[in-house]
Amino acid sequence: MPELPEVQTTLNGIAPLITGQKITHVRILRRDLRFLIPLDLEDKITHARIVSLSRRGKYLLIHLEKNHNHGALIVHLGMSGSLRILEKDHTLPLQKHDHYTLTIGSQALRLCYHDPRRFGCLLFAANPLAHPLLANLGVEPLDDAFCGAYLVAKSAKRRVAVKSLLMNAQIVVGVGNIYASEALFCAHIHPLTPAGNISLAAYNKLARCVKKILKQAIAQGGTTLKDFVNAEGKAGYFAQELAVYGKAGQACPRCQSEIESLIINQRASYFCPRCQPLTI
DNA sequence: CGAACGACCTGCAGGC
DNA sequence: TGCCTGCAGGTCGTTC
């Protein structure tokens, strides 16, 4: 579910409410997420102060300080995860698939992690950017370093489908299955085009399209297809802006041709055969 | 090294 | 109604 815009939407929602406050209680109902939640996590973060929040790719980082020691919670939402705020007067019991809660401040609110498939993770690291999960990540798509020249350099002599390249987190982070299809449609590039065959001009356009699509999605609060909810438990609105994702058989919004789908790397891909001709 | 693919886990839609 | 299959926003590890 969550790609970069959904993670950013989550960050934007919770940061103003929890920054500067202390984690007063940690409750873990299930530790067996994608990685086991470390057994010493509660000890490490209880009574820590939340210094700030940041994002690296699809990882949400909650920076903490406790007894002059610094570190960060590394949160990943996997395919089906969400973090939401439970207000003090939220007396409903936790729901199925709520796996942990962090009580913030004087019981005023709790952060609650919900994840049916348990592909997400919760870890703690003194230096999160050096953690093995983060250390080898590629550039941020919204940074200036992500540009046509970068894509040309990274795709040299590579024949993978450009959609696979775009979804390779060692190249560029945050672009998942939805936004990869959308960006390629925006850039008029067929998803199966061998990555090494694409010109600088086309890659410049693709980089601009990735940024544009991601920024639009963030502005709309992310995409809700099934169950993504933001920190307030509300849906995102970018789904209504999607041009091709999930729309096989429907009319292309640009040329009215029928949108097609195919499987690339075991992931559904959507494109307009007329707007995105395959040029090998 | 790059590339393809199975694995992890649950829920849901669709076919019979 | 129930059973079965396939599919879902991610990404790591194994294999060729």
Side-chain angles (χ1 to χ4, degrees):
Chain A
M1 160 198 65
E3 301 183 31
L4 185 152
E6 290 72 38
V7 178
Q8 187 67 46
T9 294
T10 299
L11 189 161
N12 293 345
I14 67 177
L17 299 174
I18 69 173
T19 301
Q21 306 223 53
K22 278 195 172 177
I23 296 173
T24 48
H25 185 66
V26 179
R27 181 177 175 196
I28 298 177
L29 295 97
R30 268 197 93 136
R31 306 194 94 89
D32 54 338
L33 305 185
R34 173 159 204 180
F35 308 110
L36 198 70
I37 297 177
L39 298 176
D40 60 357
L41 185 112
E42 291 96 316
D43 277 350
K44 286 196 170 168
I45 71 170
T46 301
H47 304 310
R49 190 175 66 90
I50 297 169
V51 177
S52 62
L53 281 79
S54 64
R55 179 190 58 69
R56 177 74 174 101
K58 296 170 191 165
Y59 291 92
L60 180 62
L61 303 178
I62 303 177
H63 301 275
L64 304 176
E65 183 268 318
K66 178 177 179 179
N67 301 330
H68 304 290
N69 292 317
H70 289 260
L73 283 171
I74 300 173
V75 177
H76 197 289
L77 304 179
M79 289 272 264
S80 57
S82 58
L83 263 183
R84 70 187 194 282
I85 293 281
L86 301 184
E87 303 285 352
K88 183 180 183 181
D89 58 1
H90 190 112
T91 53
L92 292 177
L94 295 183
Q95 299 166 5
K96 190 175 182 183
H97 305 309
D98 286 343
H99 302 312
Y100 62 82
T101 66
L102 306 180
T103 302
I104 308 297
S106 54
Q107 311 290 315
L109 46 88
R110 283 181 297 164
L111 260 189
C112 178
Y113 180 73
H114 181 87
D115 185 3
R117 294 175 75 176
R118 308 206 314 279
F119 284 174
C121 70
L122 176 67
L123 301 168
F124 178 86
N127 181 1
L129 295 182
H131 189 281
L133 289 173
L134 308 194
N136 298 315
L137 293 178
V139 301
E140 286 287 332
L142 298 179
D143 281 358
D144 290 343
F146 181 66
C147 60
Y150 175 81
L151 286 170
V152 168
K154 288 295 182 181
S155 63
K157 295 180 182 175
R158 297 184 69 161
R159 283 165 302 181
V160 274
V162 61
K163 177 167 180 269
S164 298
L165 189 89
L166 209 48
M167 292 179 64
N168 182 341
Q170 305 212 50
I171 308 283
V172 56
V173 294
V175 184
N177 203 36
I178 297 177
Y179 301 115
S181 278
E182 292 297 313
L184 289 164
F185 172 76
C186 169
H188 296 244
I189 297 171
H190 193 290
L192 279 180
T193 311
N197 287 5
I198 295 176
S199 70
L200 174 60
Y203 266 141
N204 273 324
K205 176 154 185 144
L206 180 57
R208 285 197 303 271
C209 284
V210 167
K211 293 171 197 283
K212 176 180 156 191
I213 298 283
L214 293 178
K215 285 178 183 174
Q216 284 179 346
I218 292 168
Q220 297 286 317
T223 299
T224 297
L225 289 185
K226 287 197 173 97
D227 57 4
F228 174 73
V229 291
N230 63 20
E232 297 169 0
K234 294 180 180 170
Y237 292 98
F238 193 70
Q240 56 204 63
E241 315 279 327
L242 295 176
V244 294
Y245 184 84
K247 298 186 183 293
Q250 298 183 41
C252 166
R254 196 187 279 138
C255 78
Q256 314 305 317
S257 296
E258 203 169 281
I259 293 166
E260 295 181 7
S261 69
L262 51 81
I263 304 295
I264 301 174
N265 275 16
Q266 303 167 292
R267 311 298 300 277
S269 309
Y270 301 87
F271 65 102
C272 169
R274 184 163 163 197
C275 294
Q276 300 163 264
L278 181 56
T279 55
I280 302 180

